Each structure stands twice: as C-alpha cells, then as structure tokens.
Amino acid sequence: MKKILIIGATSAIAEATARLWAAQGHQLYLLGRNAEHLQNMAADLKIRGAESVSYAASDLNDFAKHAAALDAATQALGGLDIVLIAHGTLGDQKASEQDFSVTLQELNTNAISVISLLTHLANHFEAHKHGSIAVISSVAGDRGRQSNYVYGTAKGAVTLFTQGLRNRLHKSGVQVLTIKPGFVDTPMTAGIDKKGLLWASPEAIARSIVSGIEKRRDVVYAPWFWIGIMAVIRGIPERVFKKLRL
Amino acid sequence: MELHGWGRYPRQQATLALPLSNTQCATTLAASAPLIAHGLGRSYGDSALAATVLGTPYLDHFVAFDDSTGALTCQAGVSLDAILRTFVPRGWFLPVTPGTRFVTVGGAIASDVHGKNHHAAGTFGAHVQHLELLLGNGAVVRASPTEHADLFAATCGGMGLTGIILQASLALKRIASSDILQTTVKAPNLQAALDAFAEHADSTYSVAWIDCLAKGASLGRSLLMLGEHATDGPLQVQTRPPTPVPFDLPAVLLNHASVQAFNALYYGRIRPPVSQQRLPFEPFFYPLDAVGQWNRLYGKPGFVQYQFVLPQAAGVAGLREVLAAIAASGRGSFLAVLKVFGPANANFLSFPQAGFTLALDFKAEPAVFTLLDELDAIVLHHGGRLYMAKDARMSAATFKASYPTWQAFEDVRARWHAHGKFASSQSIRLGLQ
C-alpha cells in the first residue's frame, strides 16, 4: 500500500490514474481547485477500493501556499511514496500573442507552479531517499511550433527541469518520471472538433503512468507511438521545419 | 460536431456540452435549453440527438455503496461496465442488464432497458430505489416509487424528456461466481422455440437467436440460450479490450447470401438438441461487446434496429406474420433476437409488455424503410409497439396509437416544467412537445 499525493487531481488524466491506484487499494491525497469535484472524486475513489482518500482545495497559482499545502498532504498521508503533478491549461495561443499577461498566466500555471512544487518536493524526497515523482509534461514541449509554442515553452521547461531533477535525485534512489502525452480527449481539449486516430483516452494515459512508475522509467511517451512521431518531428532540420505549418 | 446513435443513422450537427459537475449541468440547461442528455450513445436512432446535447462522460462518479445490502448510488454517467468491473470481484452483479455493458445508468433508466431476465426481474427501472432529477426550472428533486411517483414513472422509460438524471440508487444482486452455466436448446421452428421458452420459464435468463431468413417448415428456427449464475468458481472480469472493427466495411458485404450463410452455419454449429457449457459472464451477456464498434459492419449508410413486442394474445400467428413478411422481403438481419417478456410495468413509456419481442437489424436503405412501415402496420394491428431506444423512423401516428399513455406522459412533463426544456430529434418526430 502506497501513500500517493495527486496534484491537479481533478484533471481527467489525474482522475483516471487515481482510479487505477484506488483499485489497487492505495492511500490517496487529492489537491485541486474545485471543491465540489474533489468531494465527488473522494467518495468515488473510496468506493473503488482506496484505503483512504483525503483532499484539499487550493489555487496552485498561489505559489506562497505550496509549502503549507504539501506539508498538510504529507502529514495526512503519514509520508509520501508517490507524487503525481498533473495540473495544466491548454491556453489560447492567439490570445497569448496579443497580450503578454495571458502568456505570463500560462507560464505560471503550466511551468512556474510546477517548478515551485518540485522545489519543495525534491528536498523532501532527497531527504527520505525513496519514492517516485511523476510529472505530466507534453509532446508539445519537444519542439516549438507556431500553433502552440507558449504551451510548448511551459511544457519544455517542465521536461528540462524534471530531467535535471532526475539527474540530481538519482543518487538518492528517487525516481523522477517525465510523462509526455500526445493528444488526449479530455475537458481541456473538448473544444477541438475532429478527433482522429492519434487521440487517446485519459484511461490509456493513466495506464502508461502507473506502469511507468512501477517500472521506474525516466521518460514515458503516452501512448507509446508518440516516441516515434516525436523522433521524426525533432529530426526535421530547422531550415525546413520553420517553413512548415505545424 | 456531427453526432449519431449506435446505428449511425441518422446523423445530426449538434453542439455538445460536457459539464463537469451538477452545478455545470444546471448552468448548461439554463443557457442552452431545449436539450437532451447523451450518455454513451448506444441508443440506436435519434433519441439522444438534438441541436444541443448534454454529454455525461464526466458525471461518472460512484457516490455511495452499502456492502451489506448492495445498494449503489452513482452519478448518471457511470457505465454498467464500470459497475461490473468494480463490483463483480466483490460478488455483486447488475439486477438487469441489456445486451451491452457500454451504456450509462442514466441511459438505462431513460430507456428503462430490459435483459434476458425480464420475465422474472422486470426492467432496469424496477431496481432503481430512487433518483435525482434536474428539472427544466433548475430545481433538483428526488423521485422514487413513493416520492413524486408520477415523475418517477415518467422518467423510467421517459427517454430523457422529463429532466437530466443526475444520480440514482440501484439494488445490485449477490452472485457467488462470475461464471454462467448456459444451456442451449435447438428449436427447429417458431412453435418449438416458443414452447421451449414456456418449458424453461423458471430459468433466470433466457433469450433466443432466431434465423429470420429461414422459410416454410423451418420458419423461426432458433437457438434458445438459458443461463444461471454458477454457485462456485471465480469472481472476475475479463481485462482483454475489445477487438475493434477498424473502418467502415463496404456496405455490400452484408447481403442476403452472406447473412443466409452465416445463419445456416450458426444454427448448424450446435449439433445436439440440448447442450450445456460453463462460460464467463461477458460472452453470455455481451457477445457483441467483444467486437469494438461492430456497428461499422453495416458500412457508411448505417443501420436501423427494429424491435417490437406483440402481446401474448397475438401469439404465434402474429409473430409468424411478421417473420413471413421479412423472409419474403429477403432483407435479412444478421442478428435477430427473440425473447418472451414478463408483465408490463406502470411506467408511461416503458416498452416491455407480456408477450413476444423480436429485435432485428436492417441496413439503412430506402427499401428497408418501406418494409418497416409494412411491419409497423402488422405490429399495430396485433396491439404491439416498438422500442423507442432502437427507433429512428417510427411515425408520430404509430407512436401515439401504440403508446396510449403518451398524453398522460405529457401531463407529467407539463407539471414538472419539462416542456420547452428537454427535447430530442425523436421526441419532435413523435409529436411530443
């Protein structure tokens, strides 16, 4: 039985992952924004088999509250074995191009808040010398594209930060897992109409996360075929890439 | 976006709202009525289609479970599959299940679905202890057989036209094993099939696969499948995902010759007149769930499913008349299912009534629609009716003649603020307000 903290717990991928962990009988602590949704989730996860479920509503963009929120979670669980950081917003690329305050908001939500949380968590895990930190980044962070480079910048920062953290925490026996989902059918992407073969369900991503932690992987593309797609995309020379409409 | 039901006919441009909470349901309703709730899209025709549709995929939480009684309270977007996955390993099963587990609890209530145990257990609604409904005026009320009984009876089988079902409490039933002991009885013709149903009326589950293309002395030849829950063995769910049909098959593949060949092989595959086997519950209850998106077998035009019930009094003669009309048309059905229903309930628009029900698939094409109009006339003549969850084309006149309580249903809707707030393409076609 593991003590698991899920940050951004009401996101579709986080909830699907929480359900898998609940069915395995773990202890869960949910941190998210919407109290009504958290309450529904907690009751649901308990029925699905979680040993215990606690939750707290918190605005993750208020960085000053991170330390206290993490302390409360660690206390309630009586320690930490696994942390999943899953919150994020897709943002509006066009709006960001017109207004830097929108860009700043996106970077705060998708990158800076994650970095703040990881700064606290890294010290905790480093001291305890065991456990897993799993962070949801995105394939969008692998290369900048005109259609969503603000989101991509934030996710790219998360990818790089977790890479460095993995290097630092390796000697302490702590796993740092960077999860890079492709297109996922969630409320965050509900506005996108045509969903083709490349789209995956939150449940599929959740299975990749749970198995990635169990196998102590470093980086997981979810679903797996994105590793090939992104290898091709990263391999295109910049002088060609800049002319593409991506 | 373009939406369609399981039959992929008809298709409709729709705005899809995906609320994340009950609060957001109320906001959506206030801003976008009239609309209709849409679960997993397994009703076949247009009963969950409208210009504005409220999808329930994110309203899928369990709310409470009492492991001493099996009483489960859950949000309406919870699928029967999720219930089975969670509760079969703990020794609980659905009190009533339709032929697919990929429907939501809300949809099962709205269609008041039935299963292979209808003769003994009634419809899904009979096992709903109470439900919470979001009304057209934004209020949330609790309804049960004893609280606002009129609203409850209109909501079970009410095709989502009384409000948005937010959550429901169901009585799960105890099982000792997830296995089913199946007995297969070969019936060489229709009379033999109905006799076999009568002889095995005390079976927990019964259903027959029927060859609709057989003519003459073999008209109505069937395989009757009976089932009992095993009393020992595992409590488990299969984890293998369905094998998908990856694309629309050419519509020409399903023709008279191929269906006839399939039916002959399927019937001939079983040799002895009575045979027994033990199998997991999935292939017994949900044989088609093993093939993801089997609805693509009918190609791009889609298909319509035609399910009717004839009252007991119409008897074999009525059924034979329908089967003869289908056999004569040569428009075969890949899958035809025959079942003997138990008594009707008091819900306004519930489909089952004491008698015989037959469900058939047809490719959606002009000649089929002509045939189905002819079948409607035979069904009406014998005092029968059609299942609204399958329907994509019945006329308002046929509906009103065969569901005489439709006016009383409308009175309940008026009383509970549903008019102008909840409507589907089907309800408009059938002449409901």
Side-chain angles (χ1 to χ4, degrees), chain B residues 64-87:
Chain B
F65 182 65
D66 181 338
D67 57 12
S68 62
T69 63
L72 171 68
T73 305
C74 62
Q75 287 187 301
V78 167
S79 69
L80 300 192
D81 182 56
I83 294 176
L84 292 168
R85 281 179 190 288
T86 306
F87 294 102

Side-chain angles (χ1 to χ4, degrees), chain B residues 97-121:
Chain B
T97 176
T100 171
R101 59 195 190 274
F102 302 117
V103 299
T104 62
V105 167
I109 295 171
S111 295
D112 202 14
V113 299
H114 55 269
K116 297 174 177 30
N117 58 352
H118 181 271
H119 57 285

Side-chain angles (χ1 to χ4, degrees), chain B residues 315-371:
Chain B
V316 192
L319 216 43
R320 197 169 275 149
E321 204 178 328
V322 177
L323 284 173
I326 295 166
S329 78
R331 304 210 165 265
S333 180
F334 201 35
L335 251 190
V337 171
L338 176 68
K339 162 93 193 138
V340 176
F341 274 151
N345 60 32
N347 300 336
F348 295 94
L349 298 186
S350 279
F351 167 64
Q353 54 176 294
F356 315 107
T357 182
L358 189 63
L360 317 110
D361 295 344
F362 294 95
K363 199 181 295 176
E365 57 188 358
V368 158
F369 291 111
T370 313
L371 170 66

Side-chain angles (χ1 to χ4, degrees), chain A:
Chain A
M1 192 185 55
K2 298 261 165 58
K3 302 171 194 306
I4 304 176
L5 165 62
I6 304 177
I7 300 175
T10 58
S11 88
I13 294 174
E15 180 159 13
T17 312
R19 287 178 175 184
L20 294 179
W21 280 328
Q24 294 174 355
H26 299 304
Q27 271 179 268
L28 305 175
Y29 189 98
L30 316 174
L31 206 53
R33 195 173 38 185
N34 184 319
E36 181 188 0
H37 199 157
L38 286 168
Q39 187 182 358
N40 288 344
M41 251 184 96
D44 174 76
L45 293 168
K46 193 83 181 65
I47 294 168
R48 287 174 192 267
E51 170 71 20
S52 65
V53 188
S54 319
Y55 64 91
S58 170
D59 180 1
L60 296 170
N61 276 330
D62 190 348
F63 309 145
K65 291 189 177 148
H66 284 180
L70 294 173
D71 278 349
T74 311
Q75 291 246 313
L77 286 169
L80 280 181
D81 296 313
I82 297 172
V83 175
L84 172 66
I85 300 183
H87 64 282
T89 52
L90 192 54
D92 181 339
Q93 172 68 27
K94 287 285 171 228
S96 296
E97 288 169 15
Q98 297 307 315
D99 182 351
F100 171 70
S101 68
V102 177
T103 303
L104 184 61
Q105 179 69 29
E106 287 305 311
L107 295 177
N108 276 335
T109 304
N110 290 314
I112 308 300
S113 74
V114 176
I115 289 170
S116 162
L117 290 163
L118 285 173
T119 303
H120 295 293
L121 289 167
N123 294 332
H124 175 95
F125 277 87
E126 190 171 42
H128 288 81
K129 296 195 183 313
H130 92 280
S132 302
I133 301 173
V135 184
I136 298 185
S137 183
S138 169
V139 296
D142 277 17
R143 193 158 192 179
R145 295 174 297 125
Q146 60 179 322
S147 58
N148 71 344
Y149 63 83
V150 173
Y151 180 74
T153 299
K155 290 302 192 182
V158 168
T159 296
L160 210 57
F161 192 92
T162 50
Q163 190 174 39
L165 198 58
R166 180 158 47 243
N167 192 201
R168 171 185 155 196
L169 294 182
H170 173 70
K171 63 178 177 295
S172 307
V174 176
Q175 177 197 17
V176 178
L177 172 65
T178 311
I179 302 135
K180 298 183 182 180
F183 300 139
V184 190
D185 191 3
T186 68
M188 191 171 92
T189 57
I192 300 169
D193 198 352
K194 289 280 178 217
K195 297 201 164 92
L197 281 175
L198 291 179
W199 286 79
S201 66
E203 290 73 27
I205 310 301
R207 286 192 292 271
S208 298
I209 295 172
V210 171
S211 80
I213 292 172
E214 280 168 6
K215 294 174 185 161
R216 295 192 70 83
R217 302 272 302 274
D218 299 321
V219 179
V220 165
Y221 284 83
W224 59 270
F225 54 75
W226 281 95
I227 198 167
I229 296 173
M230 295 318 293
V232 170
I233 288 184
R234 281 196 312 271
I236 301 172
E238 190 64 18
R239 67 191 141 72
V240 177
F241 196 79
K242 71 181 179 191
K243 296 177 191 156
L244 302 178
R245 262 180 283 173
L246 286 167

Side-chain angles (χ1 to χ4, degrees), chain B residues 67-255:
Chain B
D67 57 12
S68 62
T69 63
L72 171 68
T73 305
C74 62
Q75 287 187 301
V78 167
S79 69
L80 300 192
D81 182 56
I83 294 176
L84 292 168
R85 281 179 190 288
T86 306
F87 294 102
V88 164
R90 302 180 203 173
W92 297 97
F93 200 71
L94 294 163
V96 164
T97 176
T100 171
R101 59 195 190 274
F102 302 117
V103 299
T104 62
V105 167
I109 295 171
S111 295
D112 202 14
V113 299
H114 55 269
K116 297 174 177 30
N117 58 352
H118 181 271
H119 57 285
T123 60
F124 194 86
H127 306 271
V128 175
Q129 294 162 331
H130 51 84
L131 53 82
E132 273 184 20
L133 196 66
L134 172 64
L135 302 178
N137 65 356
V140 175
V141 296
R142 185 177 148 120
S144 75
T146 52
E147 299 156 276
H148 308 312
D150 61 334
L151 185 60
F152 186 78
T155 300
C156 295
M159 305 310 286
L161 298 170
T162 57
I164 305 291
I165 301 169
L166 296 176
Q167 68 178 51
S169 289
L170 320 171
L172 300 186
K173 74 170 186 181
R174 268 272 178 223
I175 48 170
S177 162
S178 53
D179 282 352
I180 295 289
L181 304 176
Q182 175 178 295
T183 305
T184 306
V185 181
K186 270 186 109 158
N189 57 47
L190 187 61
Q191 187 62 56
L194 297 181
D195 289 348
F197 267 112
E199 187 187 333
H200 297 283
D202 58 345
S203 271
T204 306
Y205 300 104
S206 62
V207 71
W209 166 86
I210 180 168
D211 181 356
C212 285
L213 294 186
K215 294 183 188 178
S218 297
L219 182 85
R221 68 175 175 181
S222 304
L223 293 176
L224 176 65
M225 290 148 189
L226 309 167
E228 299 295 333
H229 290 285
T231 51
D232 62 335
L235 280 168
Q236 63 189 25
V237 286
Q238 293 181 344
T239 50
R240 198 166 56 90
T243 310
V245 176
F247 51 83
D248 297 352
L249 293 184
V252 68
L253 273 185
L254 279 187
N255 55 41

